[in-house]
């Protein structure tokens, strides 16, 4: 049974100040997750989590994570700008981008971010763009083939076919790339890879680590490059469904440690730092979308219409992702009514739930849509002229703080030219 991190009484107080819909985040849960992750990898002195800014691009969230020792993983110019404005500096920023514009590389270099190259041709492009190759550089590896392990939180693995993925260097390219980068002045190297998404398996990270650790040993031996860090990226999922088991981050950290001791340490590479980019794991369970029931429709099915829509949370509409729904105040009531829970977009896929068993829903009920703390607000858009919602932080002391105001029609029209 999934329980919200907020009560009906708290929500009723919030909705007086913050009209629904809005995204709500739990500061206490965010800090606890960051500390559990850090503890799980405490065996590695150089460990650092680089939070994926794309998951939850909000300054208040980023500042909390920075206070907990996290860095920022950026993939665009504006994410770099936001991280800079939030106080992240130099090597606290990882820049992992693909099909990268020149201006993005220029800002990454100016900020002293660690640049993670996605393609072999980007080596020359980076040199031409910024005039030099940074002494610390990373390359993204794509082993090709098919990678399958564990269960995805969606029932399938979004990126379990690296050979069909647009990301990264091939094995041959990364060996050639390291040699070329070294000849161009690079002195410290990193390896990065991302093979699967939303995995519910304590074995995923250790398996990936084994692949990258063995690659690192071969790369260092063959190229003479000093490999200083290995970035395991993301992929550790969260249980979106109530009956799915949660990952055990302590067991995952221990599994990576065993691979480290078996592969890197004997090769004289026991000083390699381990990095992670766990945007979803860090934030998804610590955020929810709060929405109010507006209408009912009784046709061929029973529909519950709410004031949120896919513009506030597109994952269900985009690829059928499951998000649990709690009817607040009815947490223990029997789920004996079948509904489609829908938004107001002019698209039939604007449904947060299809044939979902819920307690009887009434007009004005507040619904909590769970696990929207990552890739929730950040994937919002303005289709049908819908306006992006507010973001609210539930602070550790139980008070709330507005951390992004809701858009207004003036915001929507601001970039339009009517003349």
């Amino acid at each position: 049974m999934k329980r919200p991190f907020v009560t009906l009484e708290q929500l009723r107080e919030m909705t007086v100040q913050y009209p629904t819909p809005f995204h709500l985040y739990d500061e206490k849960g965010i800090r606890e997750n960051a500390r559990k992750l850090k503890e799980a990898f405490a065996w590695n002195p150089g460990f650092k989590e680089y939070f994926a800014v794309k998951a939850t691009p909000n300054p208040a969230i980023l500042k909390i994570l920075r206070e907990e020792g996290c860095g920022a993983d950026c993939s665009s110019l504006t994410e770099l700008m936001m991280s800079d404005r939030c106080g992240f500096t130099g090597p606290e920023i990882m820049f992992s981008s693909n099909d990268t514009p020149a201006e993005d590389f220029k800002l990454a270099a100016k900020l002293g971010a660690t640049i993670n190259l996605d393609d072999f041709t980007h080596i020359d492009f980076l040199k031409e763009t910024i005039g030099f190759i940074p002494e610390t550089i990373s390359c993204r590896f794509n082993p090709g083939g098919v990678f399958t392990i564990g269960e995805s939180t969606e029932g399938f693995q979004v990126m379990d076919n690296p050979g069909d993925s647009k990301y990264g260097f091939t094995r041959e390219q990364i060996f050639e790339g390291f040699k070329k980068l070294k000849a161009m002045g690079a002195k410290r190297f990193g390896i990065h890879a991302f093979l699967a998404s939303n995995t519910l398996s304590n074995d995923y990270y250790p398996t990936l680590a084994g692949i990258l650790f063995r690659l690192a040993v071969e790369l260092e031996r063959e190229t003479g490059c000093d490999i200083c860090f290995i970035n395991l990226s993301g992929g550790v999922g969260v249980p979106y469904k109530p009956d799915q088991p949660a990952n055990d981050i302590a067991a995952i950290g221990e599994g990576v440690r065993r691979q480290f001791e078996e592969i890197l340490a004997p090769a004289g590479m026991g000083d390699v730092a381990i990095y992670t980019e766990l945007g979803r794991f860090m934030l998804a369970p610590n955020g929810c979308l709060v929405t109010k029931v507006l209408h009912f429709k009784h046709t061929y099915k029973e529909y519950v219409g709410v004031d949120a829509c896919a513009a506030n949370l597109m994952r269900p509409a985009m690829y059928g992702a499951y998000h649990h729904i709690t009817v607040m105040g009815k947490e223990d009531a029997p789920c004996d009514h079948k509904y489609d829970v829908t938004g107001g977009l002019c698209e039939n896929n604007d449904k947060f739930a299809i044939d979902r068993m819920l307690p009887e829903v009434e007009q004005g009920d507040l619904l909590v849509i769970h696990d929207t703390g990552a890739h929730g607000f950040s994937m919002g858009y303005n289709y049908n002229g819908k306006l992006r919602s507010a973001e609210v932080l539930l602070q550790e002391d139980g008070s709330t703080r507005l951390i992004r105001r809701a858009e207004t029609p003036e915001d929507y029209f601001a970039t339009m030219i009517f003349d």
Side-chain angles (χ1 to χ4, degrees):
M1 174 66 71
K2 277 184 176 286
R3 292 281 183 175
F5 57 76
V6 65
T7 66
L8 176 59
E9 291 71 25
Q10 287 175 302
L11 284 184
R12 282 176 174 161
E13 289 183 15
M14 290 180 204
T15 55
V16 173
Q17 188 174 2
Y18 317 114
T20 56
F22 59 84
H23 282 271
L24 179 67
Y25 303 95
D26 179 22
E27 180 181 2
K28 183 173 183 287
I30 293 169
R31 290 188 184 276
E32 286 177 352
N33 240 16
R35 291 167 189 174
K36 287 178 184 176
L37 174 63
K38 189 174 181 179
E39 183 179 353
F41 286 87
W43 53 268
N44 183 261
F47 173 76
K48 196 171 189 68
E49 156 66 13
Y50 285 86
F51 177 74
V53 175
K54 63 180 176 287
T56 318
N58 186 288
I61 301 298
L62 295 180
K63 288 177 182 179
I64 288 171
L65 292 169
R66 186 168 185 269
E67 289 173 5
E68 296 296 335
C70 299
D73 175 71
C74 301
S75 59
S76 69
L77 182 76
T78 47
E79 288 182 0
L80 285 166
M81 294 170 69
M82 186 187 308
S83 298
D84 178 43
R85 292 178 66 173
C86 288
F88 293 93
T89 60
E92 291 181 327
I93 304 173
M94 182 77 62
F95 182 59
S96 301
S97 175
N98 67 93
D99 196 18
T100 310
E103 61 181 349
D104 296 31
F105 275 140
K106 287 178 182 177
L107 181 56
K110 180 180 178 181
L111 296 177
T114 299
I115 294 174
N116 182 35
L117 294 174
D118 183 68
D119 184 70
F120 183 83
T121 64
H122 291 183
I123 297 173
D124 286 336
F125 183 75
L126 178 65
K127 175 70 180 294
E128 292 166 5
T129 298
I130 67 173
F132 64 97
I133 291 296
E135 291 189 354
T136 299
I137 196 79
S138 178
C139 293
R140 196 174 204 175
F141 173 58
N142 183 331
V146 175
F147 180 88
T148 303
I149 187 169
E151 178 191 358
S152 158
T153 56
E154 309 300 347
F156 61 91
Q157 296 192 319
V158 178
M159 290 184 63
D160 62 349
N161 186 354
D164 196 38
S165 165
K166 69 175 183 175
Y167 305 110
F169 290 58
T170 66
R171 182 178 177 85
E172 293 75 16
Q173 287 173 339
I174 201 167
F175 277 84
E176 186 179 350
F178 269 43
K179 292 175 184 176
K180 182 171 184 174
L181 287 163
K182 184 181 180 183
M184 297 170 76
K187 296 180 180 179
R188 295 174 294 276
F189 293 79
I191 306 171
H192 174 284
F194 178 73
L195 301 186
S197 181
N198 301 346
T199 56
L200 287 182
S201 169
N202 293 335
D203 294 329
Y204 167 61
Y205 244 20
T207 301
L208 172 62
I211 293 170
L212 295 184
F213 293 170
R214 283 187 285 273
L215 174 67
V217 171
E218 293 177 32
L219 274 168
E220 191 159 288
R221 286 175 179 169
E222 184 170 322
T223 67
C225 294
D226 181 16
I227 297 176
C228 298
F229 66 86
I230 295 173
N231 190 332
L232 300 178
S233 189
V236 177
V238 299
Y240 286 98
K241 297 180 179 180
D243 59 349
Q244 290 176 317
N247 281 310
D248 182 344
I249 197 63
I252 290 170
E254 175 59 19
V256 174
R257 186 197 65 78
R258 286 197 297 268
Q259 295 281 5
F260 191 97
E261 294 298 329
E262 291 174 9
I263 301 169
L264 289 182
M269 300 174 67
D271 58 347
V272 171
I274 302 299
Y275 298 160
T276 58
E277 293 170 7
L278 296 178
R280 189 188 311 272
F281 177 83
M282 295 285 284
L283 254 294
N286 298 306
C288 64
L289 176 59
V290 181
T291 184
K292 184 179 293 185
V293 175
L294 297 181
H295 299 288
F296 295 93
K297 187 178 179 71
H298 313 287
T299 54
Y300 304 105
K301 303 183 76 172
E302 294 295 310
Y303 294 97
V304 173
V306 299
D307 58 6
C309 65
N312 304 111
L313 176 65
M314 78 184 307
R315 297 183 73 251
M318 187 178 185
Y319 45 84
Y322 179 97
H323 281 266
H324 197 64
I325 297 175
T326 295
V327 183
M328 296 304 291
K330 302 177 183 179
E331 292 87 344
D332 298 315
C335 295
D336 52 7
H337 287 64
K338 184 186 291 186
Y339 300 107
D340 281 15
V341 180
T342 72
L345 291 185
C346 297
E347 298 292 339
N348 196 45
N349 68 349
D350 183 17
K351 298 178 179 181
F352 294 113
I354 298 173
D355 294 332
R356 185 72 60 86
M357 298 304 296
L358 295 170
E360 184 175 8
V361 178
E362 300 171 86
Q363 192 173 48
D365 276 345
L366 291 171
L367 307 186
V368 161
I369 302 178
H370 291 250
D371 302 314
T372 68
H375 309 289
F377 180 95
S378 66
M379 296 174 74
Y381 52 99
N382 287 127
Y383 180 58
N384 275 180
K386 294 292 186 180
L387 304 175
R388 291 181 180 88
S389 62
E391 291 181 291
V392 179
L393 182 67
L394 176 61
Q395 299 180 119
E396 287 187 291
D397 63 3
S399 64
T400 58
R401 178 161 63 97
L402 186 68
I403 57 175
R404 189 194 301 267
R405 66 166 175 81
E407 286 184 337
T408 66
E410 288 72 26
D411 295 319
Y412 180 70
F413 292 119
T415 58
M416 297 184 185
I417 300 171
F418 288 94
D419 295 333

